[in-house]
Amino acid sequence: MIKKSRFLIWSITLVVIYMVTSCNTSENKTITDSYERKVDSLLSLMTLTEKIGQLNLVGRDGNRNSATQIGPKKANDIRKGLVGNLIGVVGAAPNREVQRIAVEESRLGIPLLFARDVIHGYKTLTPIPLAEAASWDLEAIEKSARIAAIEASASGINWTYAPMVDISRDPRWGRVMEGAGEDPYYGSLVAAARVRGFQGDDLSKENTILACAKHFAGYGSPMAGREYSIIDVSMRELYEVHLPPFEAALNASVGTYMTSFTEVNAVPATVSKFLLTDILREQWNFDGFVVTDWSTITQLMEHGVAADSSSAAVASIKAGVDMDMGSQAFVRNLENLVKEKKVSEKDIDIAVRRILLAKYRLGLFEDPYKYTNPEREKTEVLTPQNREAAREMAQKSMVLLKNENQLLPLSKSLKTVAVIGPVADDPRTHMGRWKAEGERKDVITLLHGLKKKLPNTKFLYAKGVDYDTKDRSGFLEAISVAKQAEVVVLAIGESQKHSGEASSRASIDIPGIQMELVKKLHTLGKPMVVVLYNGRPLTINWINDHIPAILEAWIPGTEGGNAIADILFGDYNPSGKLPITFPYSVGQIPIFYSYKNTGRPDDGSDTKWASKYYDIPNEPLYPFGYGLSYTNFKYSDLKIKKSKVTMSDTITFSMSITNAGKVPGEEVIQVYTRDLLASVTRPVKELKRFKKVLLKPGETKTISFSITANDLKLLNEQLQWITEPGEFQLLIGSSSSDIRLEGKFELIE
């Protein structure tokens, strides 16, 4: 029962806020101005304790099946104003009850933010972000995030810790699965698309949620590829590679940023004034709030830059952190620090303003219960439409790595197919590490998808082996099943625990003894298709050398089995392209397409006095941008409008592409440039544009592109972005190493 006195105080408070903010306003006031005035009014009513409580983000600690999913202590802390934000409370009913405690039983009735790791879907899981990036379809990527936001918002969530926009060139790092790959230009486009998907065009709508660009910044280059390790990147690499996707997220109006576990220039990100104030606030004018990653404030003591949690709290808030996730260093120390004059109340007010402003933008003050409608949760989560969109996204994300003698697509007249491998009927691995509220029962596994595709075909299943075990007892059954079949479909790779946060791997081979099973099955001489499940590039040289068909399925989500079946039997022509390089050997890491030449490049000659390995090739197994189709495409007729262009001109060019095969297909046309002579060294090629084009058999289309001088800028020796005149090479192709058309143009003053 709500106490009348508490409800009365809450109502009066809102009336006061309304009256103060309504005075002297005009019709020309912007929404932001209005929100800021409301925040000022609310701040004037808050005690220091209540202000600090807004900076506190904590996890639930109650029974997941209870009415509130939080224990009595946490509920009491909310009543006292000590907690302003929660992680992990999910469901319309529990969130409504917890929100009720905040708005009806606390003194000022300030609503809570409810956060959740909604990384690639909430209940309907789409492929992992790295897989989605392989689609090269920005509209589909945005739609995927939009569906995730709709489902999460219908279940009480109003803030997600996504997108992760870290650029990474080290597949040993488990979190490559959460990003868009190795290229800062493409990664920036994906970052913006995902922010738009989560936040929509109006944050005050009930089906949008706050996005969070993470991990600011440089976290994608951990030393030795090890999770939580430090980074040691130059300022040039920081500006050229790591910062662009974060700025793209800002330009897409991202509402929040998260600090990283690592350091930049020997300063942990959580206390980096350079990152959080100089760049984010002063250079980029970001007006949202910054949250730490889990307990990074108290982890400053492990870094050796803070003596205790109190000094860590001082350094963090002064650097530009607004919200403390998990450590409670702010709520435990800031009040005393103000009394000791080590932190000013003004410092705290600045952070509180940013958080309250986000809550106003979400419309939580107007309707605190807008995300807790049980009818929405019943009708907007795991819908047939959402499942179909997840299936389409999975189709687009898969990459055909090899198809010798056109083994794929398989004939639908096959009578018996062997389906073998630990992933084939494992719903947990289809969902991946960041499964949010996904459930096994809702997943279409590969075996299930194949049976639905061809109900009259006999599918013989054998698990064969587990992921990490050394138990070979299942080999005999797998071999027996394979002998009875016309074709073997082998589903192998990483389990859900092998990639994701805290899942770095020194070896990126296929785990366990799965390869032993592959080799034994290969001796049978049966036509074989390997379907790879993984959250990172793997070293699969033996498979590439011996198996005729390889489909990269990644971690495909709820509808993964249906999507794979669609591709294997030709109902969808694969169109995915790799957004990250697959190395030939772990010894090549870090490896990426946009490397720079040395003074002694490997020119293919026999000389040993070149930059090359003694024992392996320089080239990767599969390059950035690579992916096959069931058809083939012919590139022709490159036309550059003007060979010389000024700094103010638009550089326009066109080319023709023809589907030279017998089935419809989509090709990702990739446009790269190379600066042939510059004041600082430049990469051998840089992605500048791409287009995904659908062509009927025999159809030819003329495709036009345009770039500007701004697209050709470089970071000079003084770390200033400039555009220099000079000659540029234009490289157009099907991947970063499969260049079909070349031309040149000159940029003049």
Side-chain angles (χ1 to χ4, degrees):
M1 188 78 178
I2 303 171
K3 291 185 178 180
K4 291 185 178 180
S5 58
R6 290 190 183 277
F7 186 75
L8 183 60
I9 291 171
W10 175 68
S11 302
I12 292 172
T13 301
L14 292 182
V15 171
V16 170
I17 294 171
Y18 175 79
M19 290 176 64
V20 173
T21 57
S22 295
C23 294
N24 302 317
T25 58
S26 68
E27 292 182 357
N28 295 326
K29 286 291 183 183
T30 64
I31 293 175
T32 298
D33 288 339
S34 173
Y35 289 160
E36 288 178 349
R37 289 178 182 274
K38 291 176 181 178
V39 168
D40 287 339
S41 300
L42 185 52
L43 267 172
S44 69
L45 300 172
M46 296 174 72
T47 65
L48 179 58
T49 299
E50 289 167 335
K51 291 176 182 177
I52 295 169
Q54 288 299 303
L55 314 186
N56 192 23
L57 171 63
V58 298
R60 63 176 181 83
D61 59 4
N63 188 314
R64 185 68 181 269
N65 297 317
S66 68
T68 62
Q69 299 179 8
I70 61 173
K73 182 184 182 303
K74 197 146 291 178
N76 202 39
D77 285 346
I78 293 170
R79 293 183 184 98
K80 293 177 180 178
L82 297 175
V83 172
N85 318 278
L86 280 169
I87 309 170
V89 179
V90 296
N95 282 30
R96 185 176 187 87
E97 177 56 22
V98 176
Q99 192 72 287
R100 187 196 64 76
I101 293 171
V103 300
E104 298 184 19
E105 296 186 19
S106 70
R107 189 178 76 89
L108 293 178
I110 300 174
L112 300 165
L113 288 176
F114 290 95
R116 186 76 168 92
D117 287 291
V118 183
I119 306 302
H120 57 103
Y122 178 75
K123 192 85 165 178
T124 307
L125 299 178
T126 54
I128 58 172
L130 185 63
E132 291 193 351
S135 73
W136 294 65
D137 189 328
L138 296 173
E139 288 186 8
I141 292 169
E142 182 175 338
K143 181 180 179 181
S144 179
R146 182 89 289 276
I147 290 170
I150 290 169
E151 291 198 353
S153 65
S155 301
I157 305 303
N158 49 40
W159 180 25
T160 179
Y161 302 138
M164 191 195 88
V165 302
D166 295 305
I167 297 300
S168 185
R169 292 155 173 190
D170 190 337
R172 294 173 300 177
W173 187 48
R175 298 191 84 165
V176 294
M177 57 81 70
E178 209 175 324
E182 70 183 54
D183 184 68
Y185 167 72
Y186 183 50
S188 296
L189 296 176
V190 173
R194 299 196 72 209
V195 169
R196 290 193 301 268
F198 288 126
Q199 296 193 166
D201 56 6
D202 183 356
L203 263 179
S204 67
K205 292 180 179 177
E206 66 175 7
N207 62 2
T208 61
I209 59 178
L210 271 176
C212 183
K214 66 181 187 184
H215 307 84
F216 197 60
Y219 193 44
S221 292
M223 195 166 289
R226 196 173 62 247
E227 186 73 87
Y228 312 127
S229 182
I230 65 166
I231 67 166
D232 189 11
V233 299
S234 67
M235 285 295 104
R236 175 171 299 279
E237 182 177 334
L238 183 71
Y239 277 101
E240 289 182 339
V241 176
H242 297 289
L243 289 180
F246 286 98
E247 188 170 13
L250 177 98
N251 292 334
S253 302
V254 70
T256 68
Y257 281 81
M258 182 186 292
T259 66
S260 79
F261 284 109
T262 191
E263 63 182 47
V264 171
N265 201 22
V267 178
T270 299
V271 289
S272 175
K273 181 179 178 294
F274 166 68
L275 286 176
L276 305 182
T277 297
D278 297 350
I279 292 179
L280 197 55
R281 301 294 183 187
E282 295 179 0
Q283 292 182 30
W284 294 357
N285 297 313
F286 175 60
D287 68 347
F289 71 82
V290 173
V291 63
T292 71
D293 210 329
W294 189 267
S295 294
T296 57
I297 294 179
T298 49
Q299 289 167 21
L300 294 169
M301 293 180 279
E302 296 292 340
H303 282 281
V305 297
D308 50 35
S309 65
S310 179
S311 58
V314 173
S316 300
I317 198 162
K318 286 188 174 294
V321 167
D322 302 307
M323 187 183 292
D324 168 22
M325 184 199 296
S327 79
Q328 299 196 55
F330 282 177
V331 79
R332 289 173 179 165
N333 295 295
L334 284 182
E335 198 155 353
N336 285 333
L337 289 168
V338 171
K339 292 176 184 177
E340 295 168 1
K341 300 189 182 304
K342 293 180 179 179
V343 171
S344 72
E345 192 164 351
K346 182 180 178 182
D347 292 330
I348 294 169
D349 285 351
I350 290 170
V352 176
R353 280 179 56 85
R354 293 168 179 160
I355 294 164
L356 293 177
L357 187 60
K359 292 181 178 183
Y360 272 111
R361 286 171 172 163
L362 281 169
L364 290 174
F365 282 95
E366 182 178 350
D367 180 7
Y369 303 115
K370 62 181 293 187
Y371 294 97
T372 62
N373 181 345
E375 290 306 311
R376 280 194 64 213
E377 190 172 29
K378 291 177 184 176
T379 59
E380 297 184 20
V381 176
L382 203 68
T383 64
Q385 295 82 2
N386 290 356
R387 295 190 70 118
E388 182 59 31
R391 182 173 182 164
E392 291 173 2
M393 187 75 251
Q395 291 169 342
K396 292 172 183 286
S397 74
M398 295 180 190
V399 183
L400 185 61
L401 298 178
K402 186 179 179 183
N403 193 22
E404 190 175 89
N405 298 322
Q406 288 74 53
L407 175 58
L408 293 176
L410 299 173
S411 170
K412 290 183 179 179
S413 63
L414 288 169
K415 297 289 190 283
T416 308
V417 176
V419 184
I420 299 171
V423 201
D425 200 30
D426 178 6
R428 186 65 184 86
T429 289
H430 281 72
M431 293 189 288
R433 173 67 61 84
W434 292 116
K435 71 179 186 66
E437 297 304 304
E439 297 185 67
R440 295 170 184 260
K441 65 180 179 61
D442 299 319
V443 173
I444 303 297
T445 65
L446 172 58
L447 182 62
H448 188 184
L450 291 171
K451 288 180 176 179
K452 286 179 64 179
K453 174 66 64 177
L454 297 177
N456 296 322
T457 297
K458 187 176 183 180
F459 291 97
L460 303 175
Y461 167 67
K463 185 176 182 180
V465 67
D466 214 332
Y467 302 99
D468 286 323
T469 184
K470 295 186 182 297
D471 181 2
R472 296 170 176 81
S473 60
F475 281 21
L476 289 177
E477 181 189 13
I479 292 169
S480 174
V481 162
K483 286 179 177 178
Q484 300 174 57
E486 298 166 79
V487 172
V488 175
V489 175
L490 185 55
I492 57 175
E494 298 184 310
S495 72
Q496 56 83 22
K497 70 178 183 180
H498 283 118
S499 60
E501 184 174 356
S503 293
S504 296
R505 296 180 60 205
S507 165
I508 54 172
D509 294 342
I510 292 175
I513 58 171
Q514 294 179 77
M515 281 305 302
E516 286 189 31
L517 178 61
V518 176
K519 292 175 181 180
K520 286 186 179 295
L521 291 170
H522 176 258
T523 64
L524 301 177
K526 296 280 185 177
M528 185 182 297
V529 180
V530 164
V531 179
L532 283 176
Y533 289 76
N534 41 293
R536 55 157 60 81
L538 299 176
T539 43
I540 55 167
N541 302 328
W542 193 94
I543 291 177
N544 182 68
D545 291 342
H546 295 87
I547 305 301
I550 309 168
L551 179 67
E552 173 57 81
W554 309 103
I555 306 298
T558 305
E559 286 286 324
N562 279 333
I564 297 169
D566 291 336
I567 291 173
L568 294 184
F569 286 97
D571 289 329
Y572 184 85
N573 186 352
S575 60
K577 301 277 189 175
L578 295 178
I580 189 169
T581 300
F582 273 49
Y584 181 91
S585 165
V586 73
Q588 297 173 316
I589 297 170
I591 185 168
F592 48 96
Y593 83 91
S594 56
Y595 63 89
K596 294 180 179 181
N597 256 343
T598 74
R600 291 187 175 185
D602 180 19
D603 60 3
S605 65
D606 291 333
T607 178
K608 69 176 182 178
W609 310 113
S611 180
K612 61 182 180 180
Y613 297 101
Y614 180 81
D615 53 346
I616 61 171
N618 281 8
E619 292 74 28
L621 184 62
Y622 306 117
F624 175 85
Y626 173 84
L628 304 177
S629 169
Y630 291 156
T631 187
N632 57 82
F633 302 95
K634 179 182 177 183
Y635 289 60
S636 63
D637 200 22
L638 172 62
K639 294 179 180 177
I640 302 173
K641 188 173 183 181
K642 293 185 347 184
S643 61
K644 292 187 177 183
V645 290
T646 67
M647 295 287 183
S648 59
D649 283 340
T650 297
I651 303 145
T652 59
F653 50 97
S654 65
M655 47 80 66
S656 294
I657 184 166
T658 301
N659 182 346
K662 298 179 180 179
V663 294
E666 287 182 287
E667 171 73 329
V668 179
I669 304 167
Q670 300 160 47
V671 177
Y672 300 86
T673 62
R674 182 175 185 181
D675 192 339
L676 295 175
L677 184 63
S679 60
V680 293
T681 59
R682 304 300 300 142
V684 295
K685 59 176 72 76
E686 297 176 271
L687 181 70
K688 296 299 180 183
R689 293 289 186 272
F690 66 89
K691 284 187 180 177
K692 194 166 189 176
V693 181
L694 175 63
L695 294 165
K696 300 173 184 176
E699 183 181 10
T700 298
K701 287 184 179 179
T702 298
I703 308 299
S704 297
F705 296 91
S706 64
I707 58 177
T708 67
N710 188 59
D711 295 309
L712 304 172
K713 65 186 179 182
L714 57 80
L715 204 61
N716 68 12
E717 194 173 4
Q718 291 73 41
L719 298 182
Q720 299 167 326
W721 287 106
I722 64 169
T723 304
E724 294 180 341
E727 195 172 29
F728 291 82
Q729 192 172 18
L730 189 64
L731 307 158
I732 302 176
S734 185
S735 81
S736 60
S737 66
D738 184 8
I739 301 301
R740 310 284 183 89
L741 300 171
E742 295 187 29
K744 288 183 180 178
F745 63 88
E746 186 178 359
L747 193 62
I748 59 177
E749 296 281 7

